[in-house]
Each structure stands twice: as C-alpha cells, then as structure tokens.
Amino acid sequence: MGEVILAMPGQWAHDYREKADHYTSKIGGLPDWPDLDIPVSGKLLLCDFCGGKLCLVAQIYAPLSMAERSIDERVIYVLGCMKKDCGSNPQSWRVLRLQRCKQDIESKDEPLKAEQPEEESTSVAEDKPTSQSSSVKVCDDEDSDSDIDLDDLAQALEQAATLASNSKKQDGTKHTRKIVEGPVAKKLIDDLTTPVLPCFYIYSQRNSSEGRMDKANFVGGSSISLKEIEKSSGNESEGESWEGEAYEYDKALGADRTYLKFKKQLDAYPEQCFRYSYGGNALFPVANVPKLGACKICGSARRFELQLMPPLLYFLQEASDDSSNFSIDGWTWLTIIIFTCPKNCCSGTCDEKSSNSCRCIVEEEAIVIQDD
Amino acid sequence: MAERGDRGGFGRGFGGRGGGEGGGRGRGRGERRGGRRGNKSEEEKWVPVTKLGRLVKSNNITSIEQIYLHSLPVKEHQIIDTLLKGLKDEVMKITPVQKQTRAGQRTRFKAFVVVGDGDGHVGLGVKCAKEVATAIRGAIILAKLSVIPVRRGYWGNKIGLPHTVPCKVTGKCGSVTVRMVPAPRGAGIVAARVPKKVLQFAGIEDVFTSSRGSTKTLGNFVKATFDCLMKTYGFLTPDFWTETRFSNSPYQQYTDLLSKPTTKALLPPTEEPLQAEA
C-alpha cells in the first residue's frame, strides 16, 4: 500500500491527436473517453477561472483492487488551462475520475471483449484488457503476455516502419519520408478546437529507493579523493581544533530542508513524470500543506493518490518548442498533488440493479499546487 | 480493515513487467523526438526541475549575474555547473559528530566544503552524513547552491583591477564576528588559516581581518567569514546612488515572448493522404 510507482516517459505519439484507448496512460494529447452513457459535459472541460477550454495534461489508467470489490475500469484525467494566469491557480485545474461501478466479474468480461477489436494498441508495453480481466485476483502477467505479443508485435513493427507523414515536429535529424500506401497513422480524434499538448506514453516502474539514490548523488562530480582529505586533516596546526560541532540539517541559500528531500527523491529517478501511491504519502516540496476538503458525495476525507512532477513540464516544453499554438511557459508549478475519495463513490444515479455498463464520472477537487 | 487489501492499481495497469525498466527506457530514448541521438549517458543528462533550471538548460540565461540581479533562488546545483565552468572545490574539514543514544553513540561525519572560481564567486556547504564520501558529495552540492557574488574594490588609487574589499564589512555567526578592512596592494590576505582559504576562493587578494568571539568553533568562524562576504554587495556606496533602472526578470522576459499564440493554421487531417501520394 505504501509503495510508490513511478511513471517514466515512454514513446512519443506519432501525432499528438492520435486516438488511444482509455486503458492507456499518457501525457498530453486528447482525452480518450470510453463508451459513456452520457457524454462528458462541456462544463467539466472548461476552465473555472478564465472560461477557456482545458487541455489534457495526464490520463492515467488506475484500476483498483480493494478487499471488497475491484474496479478495473478506472481512469483519472488531469486537465489544465494553458492561459498565462491560470497556471498556478487551483481553480483552473480539474481532475476527473471515471470508473465503471459494477462489481460483477462475469458481466464485465463481455463488454471488455467487445471493445477489443476497436482498440489499437500503440506500444508493446501497454497491456491489453484481456490480461486484466483474466487476472483480477492474481496479478499474473507472464501468462497473458503470450496471448498478445504476435498481434501486437506485427502492428508495432508496421507502425515503426511507416512514419506518419504529418509529423509536425522538426528535429535536427529529419526522418526520411517514405511514401506510404494503405493505413498511415493511427486514427486521429477529430477535434481541432481543444488545445493539445505534445503527447507521449507512460510506462510504470517500481520505486527501488536506496541503491539508486547513492548512485544519483555521485553525479555531483567530486574532484576530491579520500586521500586528499586525510592529507588535509593532517595539516592542522596546533591550537586549531574544530570544537563544538553538532548535527546540522541541510540548508542552502535558496533551498530549505523540505525542498532538498524532495529533490533527493527526484534525483533518484530524474525522469519521473508522476508518482503514484494509492493511499501513500505525498512528497511535499514546501512544508506547509493547505487543508483539503472532503469528498462532495460521501463526505469522507480524501486520500493521496498521485502527484505530477516537474520533469513532465520539461518534456512537454522540449517538444513544443515553436510548433504548437499554445505554450506552457506560464506553468511554474513544482508539483500537483491529487487526492481522491477513498471509497471511490460515484454520484448516486446508479444502483445495484442497473445494467452493466454504468459509468460514472466524478469530479475530484482536491488539487494542491505547490509553486516554484 | 479495508486499507490492507487496497492496492493502488496504476502499476497493475502495466503489470510488473520485468523488462519494463531496460526495454522501455531504451525504446523511449530511441524514439524520442528532439533529436536525442547524441549518446548522453544516463548520469550526465540533467532534467531540470525548476523554471530557472529550464531556462538555463535551454540557454536562455547565459550568465549567473542575471540570476543575482533579480535575487532568484537557485535550487539546482546543475544550474551553477552550467553557468560557472571554472569552479573548484575543496574540503576544509571533516569532523565526527556524535549523538548519544540508548545503544551507545552514533557517529556521523560533518563535511565543510568551499567552492569558488577565484574571481568573485564563492560558496560554502556543510553536510552531515553517516559516511564520509556521502557527506563530501552532499556538501559540494550544497556549496554550489549557495554560491554568492563577492564585490571587490580598491584601497586607494583605482589603478588596475579591484583587489580588496570595497569598504569595511563585518559578518557574524554564533558568537564569532569577522571584520574585513580594505588593504593596499601587496598586503595579502591577513587572516587565520581557515578563513584565508575562503577568501582565496573568493578572489580577494588583499584584506585585513579582525575577529572576535569564540573562534575555536571553526564552523562558526567560516560561516561568519562567508556572511561577511555576502554583505559586500549589500553595502550602499555612493556608486549606487543613481536611480536603478529595473529590468524584467528572466521569468517574465521569456514568458511574454513565448506565450503569444502564433496564428499558424493547423493542417486538417484530410490533406495527409494527398501529400503521401504526391
């Protein structure tokens, strides 16, 4: 429960507007809504502060397995506003939790299988839902891999060989453009009005702490060897002894102890895009923590689920140098911490007797932004 | 208890793939846009965390004086590494520090490191850790985070480059006060061995010092000298009497430039097959 899972950056999307499925975790791009009874209302996609359209910052597939029930169809969308003043304002950010609240395992299999042919997997690292439904209780991914690799591999190879001809991003080394026949790129979402951030996919990694941190510290680049230290300590003249030293907490001119601890965790895995730890502890860069509200529906106190980290901003900024219409330079946050309802309640319109595909979309409001 | 059975499922979404770490990262790096074809090893690649770090990495800020001008806090030591290339470091002292616990004494090591380029920039770092090497590495990083500019001036004739402190300044830490007085050329640094090192790294050639208090606590002595050097730029001399012309801080400078939305038309998706066939 207390373990932290880090999200490391994976492949870039060939086109920022390409369609994935709601089982993909990605940063940027356009949100992939699963089949909903009621489509997502427009009001949820608008910024509270300036009224403009929100763009998708992160889409995280976060199924849960709790003691009494497991929710496999649970996706969290983090939406943000790219206007200048809205960057650090908690009102301009929105976190949506979308889940299918049906606990019945048998009834779940059918809609999942029906969705399979529609979806196009984008990277081999992504899991197919069959592995999910077949291993609800036991997390046994070794067996399910064999089911999916051949199809996936063929698709992935085909996509790697055919570069999308509408790649807007210029690099130093241009890709050779090939003339392609047949299906070129992935399906694109037909929505030109919403601002779109550069899109890349995420793979997860466990946080294996101690060994990495020492290695990361070594980057500091010491030009001193231990022999020199012994030599210098022998050079002391008499009457000069360093007395009365006591333990001192880390301190620098611009950085205090809390921030240095935050930075230490970041240095262990410098590319982490977000940290996921359901019910665990958040990593605060600044000591004072604002108070959180309770869940609007059930009233229980919210619990930490995940927090976005600054390398995400760096990757997005690198990709969107001058090719996009919108810029994220107004974002100066150090971390965005998201708290969700521990009971995973949904708005009371669905009851036990209703049919399988009852999906609820709930707005979570507990977002804490800690600024640079 | 429900909590015991809870398992956050984000990681489960991808499964605990054993090959995820090496394979995924390799895949990611190979395909990443932005031309990361140069072979940067994992250790050398710096992913900036703060806004200032991103500006420095993208070479929008080229000199550390821009940071000092607006008093921006430096939170990443790689910023200093990028902007000040000739920085040398030296360990001044490593002392064991003990704490009495029920199970005996716990010893940790405290390292004092001074960094400087000998030309007006100096930093001091103090770090306690269980191992000596960790303490030294940590102290170097903290020293780089605390690099300050040092103002130098003349004793008398303004011939040549500044060589001494611009005026009498004094710094204090604990019970130790250190006073620095301008000295003529050729006087050298007249100070005890320990603060002399700090002053050499700062690039001050001639100075008279006088100290007071329990200078045996050399930790405080060194910090008092450092505090004194910090104050050299804080002292208002008649040169600064003219009105300040304020300029935009780097944050605003670059945000204004880039936040204007360009009116580039997006290519509608239907045009792609035409291009492919052409």
Side-chain angles (χ1 to χ4, degrees), chain A residues 212-225:
Chain A
R212 280 302 299 253
M213 286 206 244
D214 283 345
K215 188 170 113 173
N217 264 336
F218 191 72
V219 179
S222 164
S223 62
I224 301 163
S225 67

Side-chain angles (χ1 to χ4, degrees), chain B residues 88-92 112-116 122-125 139 143 197-199 201-202 222 226:
Chain B
K88 294 194 189 45
D89 49 47
E90 176 163 340
V91 176
M92 287 208 294
F112 290 84
V113 168
V114 60
V115 309
V122 67
L124 176 69
K197 180 132 297 169
V198 179
L199 294 170
F201 272 81
V222 152
F226 188 68

